[in-house]
Amino acid sequence: MKHKSTRKILLVGSSGGHLAHLYMLKPIWEKDEHAWVSFNKEDTNNILDEEKIYYCYFPTNRNIKNLIKNSFLALKVLRKEKPNIIISSGAGVAIPFFWLGKLLRGTKNIYIEVYDRIDAPTVTGKICHPVSDLFIVQWEEMKKIYKKAINLGSIF
């Protein structure tokens, strides 16, 4: 009898490098029920052409209007998908999903700080850190900044 996974994963990330980081983790999420939240851009649509995608509003960095719109989107997606795990490598779109997922659904949140940050935090990382169950950095120096982080090294 085939065992069906009970993990429902929501992968949340901006297009570009953030999306590439998450997609590199395919062996971790591909056998689980999953959906994506990302920008409606060419690279997203090419990489995720066979995936279930919810398009978020951008730009997200320091854009209060889109933060509010993405918060309403997060409420809708969380209610519909009912994930028990949210994985993100940023950027700003992760914030409403992590906070609302944790507060409303008790999701397990996994955040991966981007590779190009060696000794300074990202704004999104700082905001998501308190509600992250697993906070992954790719440089040992980053453990000084994020106290509950673990260093798994480069995922490239």
Side-chain angles (χ1 to χ4, degrees):
M1 183 157 95
K2 198 173 185 179
H3 175 67
K4 184 173 167 130
S5 174
T6 57
R7 296 192 312 187
K8 292 185 77 175
I9 300 173
L10 186 63
L11 298 132
V12 180
S14 305
S15 59
H18 299 284
L19 177 65
H21 266 124
L22 292 175
Y23 199 78
M24 291 170 116
L25 302 173
K26 188 174 182 176
I28 293 169
W29 52 258
E30 71 181 329
K31 292 184 174 131
D32 295 300
E33 187 177 340
H34 63 275
W36 289 82
V37 176
S38 193
F39 299 167
N40 188 2
K41 288 191 163 187
E42 188 174 347
D43 65 329
T44 302
N45 294 321
N46 285 336
I47 293 170
L48 304 178
D49 66 337
E50 300 290 321
E51 298 288 341
K52 184 177 199 176
I53 308 170
Y54 294 92
Y55 294 114
C56 61
Y57 301 92
F58 64 93
T60 56
N61 293 343
R62 295 163 186 83
N63 188 309
I64 297 298
K65 179 181 170 188
N66 285 340
L67 175 63
I68 293 167
K69 290 165 81 174
N70 284 330
S71 295
F72 282 106
L73 176 66
L75 291 171
K76 175 185 164 190
V77 172
L78 292 166
R79 184 174 24 249
K80 184 173 182 182
E81 293 297 323
K82 297 177 176 54
N84 50 26
I85 300 170
I86 300 174
I87 304 173
S88 183
S89 61
V93 67
I95 294 167
F97 284 88
F98 266 45
W99 278 90
L100 292 171
K102 180 60 74 182
L103 294 171
L104 302 176
R105 296 204 42 81
T107 56
K108 298 295 182 190
N109 295 333
I110 302 170
Y111 190 86
I112 305 159
E113 186 64 286
V114 292
Y115 180 76
D116 63 346
R117 288 304 181 113
I118 299 170
D119 58 7
T122 60
V123 171
T124 304
K126 287 193 295 188
I127 295 171
C128 289
H129 187 252
V131 290
S132 294
D133 297 283
L134 179 59
F135 197 95
I136 299 168
V137 295
Q138 299 179 62
W139 296 96
E140 193 63 27
E141 294 87 343
M142 293 299 283
K143 287 174 57 179
K144 295 174 190 157
I145 295 164
Y146 297 116
K147 299 305 178 198
K148 66 180 186 179
I150 63 166
N151 176 18
L152 294 183
S154 173
I155 59 175
F156 284 112

